[in-house]
Amino acid sequence: VQLLDSGGGLVQPGGSLRLSCAASGFSFNRYAMSWVRQAPGKGLQWVASLGGSPTNTYYADSVKGRFTISRDNSRNTLYLQMNALRVDDTAIYYCARNDGFQVVSSSWIEFWGQGTLVTVSS
Amino acid sequence: NFVLTQPHSVSESPGKMVTISCTRSSGSIAGNYVQWYQQRPGSAPTTLIYEDRRRPSGVPDRFSGSIDSSSNSAFLTISGLETEDEADYYCQSYDRRSRVFGEGTKLTVL
């Protein structure tokens, strides 16, 4: 299993950024996927998850309405569209593979990408 | 939302055993699975324990998970400590609305 995160960078407050995660080594369309972030020197925060259908999602309250998780199964790629970015969104964003096909409360992370750094600053 | 409380740091000598606690503030620890993740310095997290006590393939049996309903806590025990075990350890659980991580415990193996 390999998860290659990309798309991070420096963006101004209020701006937008799209992260990508190229997956390989497993049947991408058979697993739910997630994004988890880690602010500098801080702990982990589960940001969003997406299962087999577009409506099978989870979003943390802090990103609801601003972030959108999506996937392209033909390209084995996961995305995170981040809009209205705030300074407190600054973090390393990790792409992750869930343990199953559906997003359910008991989902857990089985594999992690290496992360991509997003810095929101003026 | 509930909170998972972990000790900020623990330390122990190589070859010894250490236990890290994770206490749930509300809701039953037994009714919602707990996972444990390891993050070595400068690296991405990896999964050590899922569903309270199960180990993914490749995780040594030196790592074990348990729960205690009386203290509403989960525990990660690492036996036969090695210097490479020096890392941050995070517990994680959930309720119907949220997935929550503990704030992490820094393990020093000295």
Side-chain angles (χ1 to χ4, degrees):
Chain A
V1 172
Q2 202 164 26
L3 301 169
L4 293 178
D5 311 300
S6 62
L10 174 64
V11 61
Q12 292 190 334
S16 297
L17 207 58
R18 188 177 81 156
L19 306 183
S20 299
C21 170
S24 61
F26 65 99
S27 297
F28 180 72
N29 61 354
R30 296 177 67 176
Y31 287 91
M33 300 292 293
S34 296
W35 291 96
V36 176
R37 70 184 181 184
Q38 186 171 35
K42 301 295 186 183
L44 301 169
Q45 182 189 20
W46 201 311
V47 174
S49 295
L50 175 61
S53 73
T55 57
N56 183 216
T57 58
Y58 164 82
Y59 290 97
D61 286 345
S62 57
V63 306
K64 221 172 271 186
R66 300 187 300 124
F67 290 11
T68 302
I69 188 172
S70 63
R71 65 194 297 163
D72 184 339
N73 288 339
S74 67
R75 296 176 184 265
N76 289 350
T77 302
L78 178 74
Y79 302 101
L80 184 68
Q81 178 66 43
M82 304 185 293
N83 298 330
L85 281 161
R86 310 189 301 223
V87 171
D88 63 358
D89 292 319
T90 294
I92 296 173
Y93 284 74
Y94 295 102
C95 168
R97 195 193 89 174
N98 288 25
D99 62 299
F101 180 64
Q102 296 289 352
V103 173
V104 294
S105 298
S106 59
S107 296
W108 52 278
I109 301 296
E110 194 168 7
F111 294 101
W112 302 72
Q114 86 288 353
T116 186
L117 176 62
V118 173
T119 303
V120 185
S121 174
S122 54
Chain B
N1 275 5
F2 64 97
V3 174
L4 296 172
T5 300
Q6 300 180 234
H8 181 69
S9 62
V10 296
S11 61
E12 191 49 270
S13 303
K16 301 290 190 180
M17 182 174 71
V18 70
T19 297
I20 298 171
S21 62
C22 170
T23 301
R24 182 169 175 138
S25 62
S26 61
S28 168
I29 196 76
N32 306 276
Y33 287 129
V34 175
Q35 281 64 240
W36 290 91
Y37 303 97
Q38 177 192 62
Q39 187 176 33
R40 293 192 174 107
S43 297
T46 60
T47 304
L48 281 180
I49 299 287
Y50 68 98
E51 294 179 357
D52 297 340
R53 61 185 69 247
R54 298 181 180 221
R55 283 187 307 276
S57 169
V59 173
D61 60 7
R62 300 189 298 108
F63 296 90
S64 61
S66 62
I67 61 168
D68 175 53
S69 296
S70 64
S71 60
N72 215 36
S73 298
F75 300 93
L76 172 69
T77 299
I78 311 171
S79 59
L81 276 169
E82 301 177 359
T83 54
E84 67 180 28
D85 297 332
E86 191 157 288
D88 293 326
Y89 292 84
Y90 295 92
C91 60
Q92 178 262 315
S93 191
Y94 55 89
D95 61 16
R96 277 207 244 169
R97 293 192 61 236
S98 58
R99 289 97 164 103
V100 174
F101 287 93
E103 292 195 352
T105 298
K106 182 177 180 57
L107 169 62
T108 302
V109 181
L110 25 74

